[in-house]
Amino acid sequence: MAQIQPSASVHDVVVIGSGAGGGTAVKVLTDLGIPVTLLEAGPMLNPARDFKEHVWPYEVDHRGAGDHADLYFGRQQWGYFAAPNGFWNVPGEPYTVAPDSHFSWFRSRILGGRTNHYGRISLRFSDYDFKAYSFDGLGRDWPVTYDEMAPFYDKAEEFIGITGTHEGLRTAPDGRFLPPIAPRVHEILIQKAAGKLNIPCIPSRMAMLTRPNHGRAACHYCGQCGRGCRTASAFSSSQAMIFPAMKTGKLNVICNAMARELIVDGAGRVTAVSYVDKETRTEKQIRCRAVVVAASTCESARLLLNSKSPRFPNGLANASGMVGRNLTDTVGYALSGSVPALEGMPRHNDDGIGGMHVYIPWWLLGDKKKDFPRGYHVEVGGGFNMPQLGSFHGVASRSEGYGKSLKDDIRRQYGSMVHFSGRGDMIPNDFSYCEIDNAKVDQWGIPVLKFHFRWSQHEVKQAQHMHDTFASLIETMGGKVLAGERPKDDATGVSTGGSIIHEAGTVCMGDNPRNSALNRYCQAHESPNLFVADASPFLGNPDKNVTLTIVAMAWRTSEYLAEEMRKGNV
């Protein structure tokens, strides 16, 4: 790198990362009148240019297989039509995995990060999720309670816009919901089958607007939310939080800025952020009063571990040795089936909101007979999804012939498949963590992460239960399981760590500085002007998707930071 270029001015708050946590910090702080500078490692987002929301496959060369037919050769990491977001393998940005581990690390490199394309399933953590150790003796208690978090869940839901219904379930806390959307045909059949098995199946809780909210239009039900949403009806931090903040004049956005390290003074306070300008390949420093790290769970840990100094030789906020530890991901397992009752249905508009209209919350909280702790929720799929390349993969293995007979089978089977995906609680363990691999750097010269990851028998048994449940649901519908072996005791069949893209932990919060990096407001014990606002402070990874809690926690952290700045403590 060339000589470092320091900035002359001191910025009030620098936020690193523009996803759910960083976007929330930007919104809350600028709403409170605090100027913010946002560093994003990727380019600026232009929804009109970048979102392929209403593009048909026939309008695109190779129908979306990629310029070099990447789809056919297994080289297309993410669908062509998906909103631009990132990949598990980012050119020039490697990571390493320990020989006895399997882990896939997804990185987003664009304004808004994963919120441009994520599933938008928005579930509150339950009271027992925050007090896990007190509940069943496993994991650790969070330093906050559900009652403390509830007002911030309220704020997040009211602003984002979440569909749902009040059900009174402890495993799926009620919130401030927009009207739900009616179930599709296959979802009605799933609900009936679930009812026969005494399993609840309720309207889904999704960050998609069923009526206008805060200047964002209601959903027009094209069903293509994974492509990005030009009307911002499907929530993203870029459109709902960052773009409005830019209009206030309180937000300065610096894109293509890869954070390298945090610079501290002799007292341990962060004085500047050192980053690589990816366009000029020069290293720059931006001075600040406070910094909010929200680069994503593993990227935030990497930044802190790489921020070494004489005062912090093991990395910033790491006197406890806990930075990088407690790495978790959602436990994932999926099973599909064919349902004859759905064959040959009249074709109709089946789009609705992107993703499921109903889901199954955990229903066996008090069951003492099961052989695993905690639980999972079930996401469902099926219906008349838009046909495109790969939609009918596998039909030839189930149907004889070719030409007209094969096409007739495809038409008959179209819309007759149902899919079940389990999303389960992972309890942190000592074998799952990330650390700096000092033998390897990325293209910017920054040391990369090395991952260690292992599922315990808690998660394996849980995935086996998923298989049995899904098979029962399919068979109760009169269907046939298509593929998928029951996960083995060695975790074969369980999702690869990181593949569900729900990483959490690595910079844990707690009341005791000896076993935590952050306090109950996600403020570093050792560096009072350093805050963390993504999923890395989490002490566990419950069976609820993490994004809503990231937003709620970041909202709480940002309000606290603003008050501390007002008092002169930061």
Side-chain angles (χ1 to χ4, degrees):
M1 294 290 177
Q3 184 175 1
I4 298 174
Q5 302 175 19
S7 65
S9 57
V10 178
H11 297 242
D12 285 85
V13 178
V14 172
V15 174
I16 302 172
S18 62
T24 301
V26 163
K27 174 200 161 35
V28 173
L29 293 171
T30 56
D31 280 355
L32 293 173
I34 297 174
V36 174
T37 296
L38 174 65
L39 301 183
E40 164 54 46
M44 175 60 69
L45 173 74
N46 181 343
R49 177 197 65 208
D50 298 327
F51 291 167
K52 306 178 183 71
E53 183 178 351
H54 294 144
V55 177
W56 289 88
Y58 66 77
E59 297 179 282
V60 182
D61 290 343
H62 309 296
R63 287 180 166 80
D67 293 339
H68 303 287
D70 297 333
L71 176 66
Y72 295 118
F73 300 100
R75 294 195 296 264
Q76 193 176 70
Q77 297 189 78
W78 203 259
Y80 171 84
F81 295 99
N85 49 77
F87 301 103
W88 282 279
N89 296 309
V90 179
E93 298 187 31
Y95 58 92
T96 63
V97 180
D100 60 343
S101 296
H102 299 280
F103 193 85
S104 296
W105 185 23
F106 188 94
R107 274 76 48 82
S108 284
R109 294 288 186 259
I110 194 165
L111 192 82
R114 303 176 186 181
T115 66
N116 293 313
H117 71 90
Y118 80 120
R120 300 181 174 86
I121 298 165
S122 302
L123 308 173
R124 293 187 179 204
F125 288 6
S126 299
D127 63 312
Y128 58 87
D129 293 322
F130 290 104
K131 297 299 175 184
Y133 183 80
S134 297
F135 179 69
D136 62 13
L138 297 170
R140 291 172 58 187
D141 286 347
W142 296 46
V144 296
T145 66
Y146 176 81
D147 289 341
E148 289 177 277
M149 289 302 302
F152 298 96
Y153 277 129
D154 289 347
K155 292 180 180 183
E157 289 166 340
E158 192 280 328
F159 177 76
I160 291 172
I162 309 294
T163 64
T165 51
H166 290 137
E167 302 288 341
L169 299 173
R170 186 180 179 189
T171 58
D174 295 327
R176 296 192 174 184
F177 298 136
L178 297 177
I181 187 168
R184 306 174 178 97
V185 173
H186 70 279
E187 291 165 331
I188 292 174
L189 295 186
I190 290 172
Q191 282 185 313
K192 289 181 177 179
K196 292 178 181 178
L197 298 172
N198 295 315
I199 296 174
C201 186
I202 66 175
S204 58
R205 295 166 179 183
M206 310 287 278
M208 300 166 191
L209 302 184
T210 51
R211 64 185 182 205
N213 187 50
H214 291 284
R216 295 159 51 211
C219 178
H220 54 277
Y221 303 135
C222 74
Q224 301 302 316
C225 306
R227 299 180 176 207
C229 182
R230 293 182 181 180
T231 61
S233 307
F235 169 75
S236 68
S237 67
S238 51
Q239 294 163 290
M241 294 172 160
I242 296 171
F243 291 161
M246 292 171 68
K247 294 178 181 178
T248 68
K250 293 288 185 181
L251 175 62
N252 173 43
V253 178
I254 303 176
C255 287
N256 294 305
M258 186 71 186
R260 170 188 287 276
E261 66 176 317
L262 304 180
I263 311 300
V264 298
D265 61 17
R269 300 176 68 89
V270 178
T271 59
V273 179
S274 177
Y275 69 93
V276 176
D277 183 327
K278 294 164 72 171
E279 294 182 334
T280 63
R281 300 188 69 87
T282 58
E283 186 167 352
K284 299 179 179 180
Q285 285 186 4
I286 182 168
R287 299 168 65 200
C288 57
R289 284 180 58 192
V291 63
V292 177
V293 176
S296 80
T297 293
C298 300
E299 197 72 76
S300 292
R302 179 191 181 200
L303 176 61
L304 296 179
L305 290 171
N306 276 322
S307 298
K308 297 180 180 180
S309 65
R311 184 180 178 89
F312 303 115
N314 297 316
L316 184 55
N318 195 31
S320 64
M322 297 304 293
V323 176
R325 309 299 302 189
N326 302 304
L327 174 61
T328 58
D329 188 28
T330 292
V331 184
Y333 176 77
L335 196 66
S336 298
S338 62
V339 181
L342 294 171
E343 293 181 0
M345 278 197 306
R347 304 304 186 244
H348 59 277
N349 186 339
D350 196 34
D351 289 339
I353 60 175
M356 60 193 186
H357 292 187
V358 300
Y359 91 109
I360 296 173
W362 181 232
W363 68 100
L364 295 174
L365 184 65
D367 186 349
K368 303 300 184 183
K369 297 179 181 179
K370 57 185 176 62
D371 58 356
F372 61 94
R374 314 287 172 81
Y376 58 90
H377 76 260
V378 185
E379 301 172 7
V380 305
F384 293 132
N385 296 316
M386 179 186 290
Q388 54 191 11
L389 287 178
S391 292
F392 305 103
H393 176 74
V395 174
S397 65
R398 300 190 299 270
S399 304
E400 295 184 1
Y402 57 93
K404 183 178 184 303
S405 64
L406 180 60
K407 291 179 181 178
D408 287 344
D409 273 348
I410 289 174
R411 292 188 177 96
R412 177 178 56 82
Q413 295 179 27
Y414 176 47
S416 68
M417 309 299 172
V418 293
H419 316 286
F420 295 95
S421 298
R423 296 292 181 257
D425 190 318
M426 179 183 178
I427 299 168
N429 63 65
D430 291 339
F431 304 102
S432 299
Y433 60 95
C434 58
E435 61 183 347
I436 297 299
D437 186 337
N438 290 307
K440 199 173 189 66
V441 298
D442 64 12
Q443 64 176 318
W444 319 112
I446 305 172
V448 307
L449 282 180
K450 181 176 183 178
F451 290 96
H452 304 255
F453 197 85
R454 185 184 304 178
W455 297 119
S456 75
Q457 283 300 297
H458 297 319
E459 292 81 40
V460 173
K461 296 295 186 184
Q462 184 187 113
Q464 292 171 343
H465 191 276
M466 292 178 187
H467 173 92
D468 297 344
T469 299
F470 303 164
S472 294
L473 284 164
I474 292 168
E475 291 165 0
T476 302
M477 296 174 72
K480 178 183 177 181
V481 174
L482 289 178
E485 295 184 4
R486 193 174 193 265
K488 297 178 173 59
D489 287 343
D490 64 356
T492 301
V494 186
S495 57
T496 300
S499 64
I500 306 299
I501 322 180
H502 290 172
E503 311 96 277
T506 74
V507 192
C508 63
M509 61 194 303
D511 291 327
N512 189 341
R514 289 178 294 181
N515 62 11
S516 62
L518 312 170
N519 68 14
R520 63 197 325 271
Y521 293 101
C522 300
Q523 178 184 30
H525 291 302
E526 306 165 35
S527 188
N529 66 339
L530 166 62
F531 297 79
V532 181
D534 47 30
S536 54
F538 291 11
L539 289 174
N541 203 326
D543 64 295
K544 293 88 174 174
N545 303 35
V546 296
T547 306
L548 181 64
T549 301
I550 292 174
V551 174
M553 190 71 74
W555 204 302
R556 180 174 181 269
T557 294
S558 299
E559 287 191 359
Y560 175 79
L561 167 57
E563 180 63 15
E564 289 296 283
M565 294 182 75
R566 186 190 68 80
K567 293 178 179 178
N569 295 332
V570 171

